[in-house]
Amino acid sequence: MITRIREDIQAALRQDPAARNWLEVILTYPGVHAVWGYRIAHFLWKIKLKLFARIYSNWIRAVTGIEIHPAAKIGRRFFIDHGMGVVIGATAVVGDDVMIYHDVTLGARGIGSGKRHPTIGNNVVIGAGARVLGDIKVGEGAKISANMVVTKEVPAKTMVDSSEFFAI
Amino acid sequence: MITRIREDIQAALRQDPAARNWLEVILTYPGVHAVWGYRIAHFLWKIKLKLFARIYSNWIRAVTGIEIHPAAKIGRRFFIDHGMGVVIGATAVVGDDVMIYHDVTLGARGIGSGKRHPTIGNNVVIGAGARVLGDIKVGEGAKISANMVVTKEVPAKTMVDSSEFFAI
Amino acid sequence: MITRIREDIQAALRQDPAARNWLEVILTYPGVHAVWGYRIAHFLWKIKLKLFARIYSNWIRAVTGIEIHPAAKIGRRFFIDHGMGVVIGATAVVGDDVMIYHDVTLGARGIGSGKRHPTIGNNVVIGAGARVLGDIKVGEGAKISANMVVTKEVPAKTMVDSSEFFAI
């Protein structure tokens, strides 16, 4: 547990150039607080304290602006920068060393049952405001730019971007 | 009043596959809390306690991340899923059985007066991050995809989408 | 200081047609509260109470949903409307009389050091959900539409928009 907490702090220090030291990360990183909160909520969920897990998650959301369903499966060294508006659904799966920015959605398309949220590979980076929707795979090392809407498989080591969609 | 509260809970249970029971919705759905908060604020606004309505709305926003102007007119069984970042302007009108996701804006275009926010028909669904701007009508049963920017009338039962705007 | 506070309130009254009076702005405008909070945090940062500045900023973020790094440089009469989800990075520079809506990001592209956030000219307006990324200049009086992603220089008095990127 201590190892995981140390890893989470190190991920923040490595990936945010504005992070100055451990104490600053521990005290002032809502993305780090949300991941710790998720790890506790996920544990509560697994031992069948589901309602309590949801209440706790919702409290973490109110404080951090980050909503991670306690049933989601999230890997090691997950770093959420800024984080306000992030939503991660109940059947989402996130690999190791993933980094996402604020306002990213790992969501569903319409109403279904079963696995309906994405599976994100290791080392993926997802930019602010991107929506990754449906039970799709985002391959290892892929990058998704800000505000993209992704509803199809993303192969490993590709960039989802659009240089055309604005004009001056 | 009790009927309305029951309806709001039923709407959440019907439209979110992750919702497990009444108690969970009552305790952990910020979208439901925000709609109840709006109904109280709207009542305060109508009896001319406008400043108090605004203060109360702002407090609901701080807790839920959802900002609904107390002067907006909102129909029955309105369901906001997740909800962080939703903004609904003072002259917006929302029909019955509408569902919106987090970070949806029903906003204005620039600075004007009079009716400057959209009118949303019954049974409309609006995806995360979509911005519906100006005094336009979104027809009954229309669907607006995530991150769309809509500034023109949307006919009934149409889908506002773009399959081109991202490329891998 | 009193002058600055008066200016901030006047900016809100001028730019939001829903704002009814001074008292309403003082009590219920999270965008105004966030700018005041930033001005205090920036002062703490300048006198080298950096950790305390960050803790205070983070508290302002939890209450208002608006995250402004205390090291950012922000001009006079800056008005943030609605504000939930706004992120302004450590090396961002914002001119005078700038107006931004909720969920705007003045962010970086990937991980770098030095100046990595944008410089926004006087009288710029940035719509909800727009992401302005990297050390670029947005010229005086430019307007950026909702949900745009801007990663290149924007000349003065131009409009960044896209009328094509949605289809019905």
Side-chain angles (χ1 to χ4, degrees):
Chain A
M1 190 72 188
I2 299 291
T3 316
R4 295 296 172 92
I5 286 175
R6 279 178 55 184
E7 278 183 358
D8 288 336
I9 296 168
Q10 282 164 343
L13 282 166
R14 195 166 56 241
Q15 296 180 284
D16 181 5
R20 297 179 309 123
N21 57 54
W22 281 54
L23 193 62
E24 187 175 305
V25 171
I26 290 168
L27 294 175
T28 73
Y29 273 65
V32 172
H33 301 161
V35 171
W36 292 341
Y38 155 78
R39 299 207 191 281
I40 293 165
H42 186 60
F43 172 77
L44 295 172
W45 187 267
K46 283 200 293 189
I47 63 171
K48 307 292 178 201
L49 293 173
K50 292 189 178 185
L51 181 61
F52 189 45
R54 290 279 287 147
I55 290 168
Y56 182 71
S57 276
N58 197 43
W59 183 80
I60 294 286
R61 173 194 180 279
V63 175
T64 65
I66 295 167
E67 179 178 342
I68 306 177
H69 196 286
K73 286 175 189 152
I74 291 183
R76 296 169 68 172
R77 299 173 296 278
F78 180 48
F79 179 49
I80 303 172
D81 206 2
H82 311 298
M84 185 69 60
V86 163
V87 174
I88 298 179
T91 66
V93 177
V94 175
D96 294 333
D97 300 295
V98 169
M99 181 180 184
I100 70 175
Y101 286 87
H102 48 289
D103 205 24
V104 162
T105 301
L106 306 181
R109 301 188 74 182
I111 303 171
S113 60
K115 175 93 163 74
R116 59 192 186 282
H117 300 100
T119 297
I120 308 297
N122 299 336
N123 293 296
V124 167
V125 178
I126 306 179
R131 317 290 169 184
V132 186
L133 303 176
D135 179 22
I136 59 173
K137 277 188 186 144
V138 176
E140 275 206 31
K143 286 183 199 298
I144 296 172
S145 292
N147 282 7
M148 291 295 104
V149 178
V150 180
T151 57
K152 300 177 208 160
E153 302 278 319
V154 177
K157 300 196 181 175
T158 51
M159 176 86 178
V160 179
D161 197 2
S162 168
S163 48
E164 302 94 351
F165 94 97
F166 75 95
I168 295 172
Chain B
M1 191 71 189
I2 299 290
T3 315
R4 295 297 171 90
I5 286 175
R6 278 177 58 183
E7 278 183 358
D8 288 336
I9 297 169
Q10 283 164 343
L13 282 166
R14 197 167 53 241
Q15 295 180 285
D16 181 3
R20 297 179 310 123
N21 56 54
W22 282 54
L23 193 61
E24 187 176 303
V25 171
I26 290 168
L27 293 174
T28 72
Y29 273 66
V32 172
H33 301 160
V35 171
W36 291 342
Y38 154 78
R39 299 207 191 280
I40 293 164
H42 186 60
F43 172 77
L44 295 172
W45 186 268
K46 283 199 294 188
I47 62 170
K48 307 292 178 200
L49 294 174
K50 293 189 176 184
L51 182 61
F52 188 45
R54 289 279 288 148
I55 290 168
Y56 182 70
S57 276
N58 197 43
W59 183 80
I60 294 287
R61 174 195 180 278
V63 174
T64 65
I66 295 166
E67 178 178 343
I68 306 176
H69 196 286
K73 286 176 189 150
I74 291 184
R76 296 168 68 171
R77 297 173 298 277
F78 180 47
F79 179 48
I80 304 172
D81 206 2
H82 310 299
M84 185 70 59
V86 163
V87 174
I88 298 179
T91 65
V93 177
V94 175
D96 294 333
D97 300 295
V98 169
M99 181 181 184
I100 70 175
Y101 286 86
H102 48 288
D103 205 25
V104 162
T105 301
L106 306 182
R109 304 188 73 181
I111 304 172
S113 60
K115 175 90 165 74
R116 59 193 187 282
H117 301 98
T119 297
I120 308 297
N122 299 336
N123 293 296
V124 166
V125 178
I126 307 179
R131 317 291 170 185
V132 185
L133 304 176
D135 180 21
I136 59 174
K137 276 188 188 144
V138 176
E140 275 206 32
K143 287 182 198 300
I144 296 172
S145 292
N147 282 6
M148 291 295 104
V149 178
V150 180
T151 57
K152 300 176 207 159
E153 302 278 320
V154 177
K157 299 196 181 175
T158 51
M159 175 85 178
V160 179
D161 196 4
S162 169
S163 48
E164 303 95 350
F165 92 97
F166 73 97
I168 294 172
Chain C
M1 192 69 188
I2 298 290
T3 315
R4 294 296 171 94
I5 285 174
R6 276 178 57 182
E7 277 183 357
D8 289 335
I9 296 168
Q10 283 164 342
L13 282 167
R14 197 167 52 241
Q15 294 179 285
D16 181 4
R20 297 179 311 123
N21 56 55
W22 282 55
L23 193 61
E24 186 175 304
V25 171
I26 290 168
L27 294 175
T28 72
Y29 273 66
V32 172
H33 301 160
V35 170
W36 291 342
Y38 154 78
R39 299 207 190 281
I40 293 165
H42 186 60
F43 173 77
L44 294 171
W45 186 267
K46 282 199 295 187
I47 64 172
K48 305 293 178 202
L49 293 174
K50 292 189 177 186
L51 182 61
F52 189 46
R54 289 279 286 147
I55 290 167
Y56 182 70
S57 276
N58 197 43
W59 184 80
I60 294 287
R61 174 195 180 278
V63 175
T64 65
I66 296 166
E67 178 177 342
I68 306 176
H69 196 286
K73 287 174 188 152
I74 291 183
R76 296 168 68 171
R77 297 173 297 276
F78 180 47
F79 179 48
I80 303 172
D81 205 2
H82 310 299
M84 185 70 58
V86 163
V87 175
I88 298 179
T91 66
V93 177
V94 175
D96 294 332
D97 300 295
V98 169
M99 181 181 184
I100 70 176
Y101 286 86
H102 48 289
D103 206 23
V104 162
T105 301
L106 305 181
R109 302 189 73 181
I111 303 172
S113 60
K115 174 91 163 75
R116 57 193 188 284
H117 301 97
T119 297
I120 308 297
N122 299 336
N123 292 297
V124 167
V125 178
I126 306 179
R131 318 290 170 185
V132 185
L133 304 176
D135 179 22
I136 59 173
K137 277 187 187 146
V138 175
E140 275 205 32
K143 286 183 198 300
I144 296 173
S145 292
N147 282 6
M148 292 295 104
V149 178
V150 180
T151 57
K152 301 176 206 160
E153 304 278 320
V154 177
K157 300 196 180 174
T158 51
M159 175 86 179
V160 179
D161 196 4
S162 168
S163 47
E164 301 94 353
F165 93 98
F166 75 96
I168 295 173

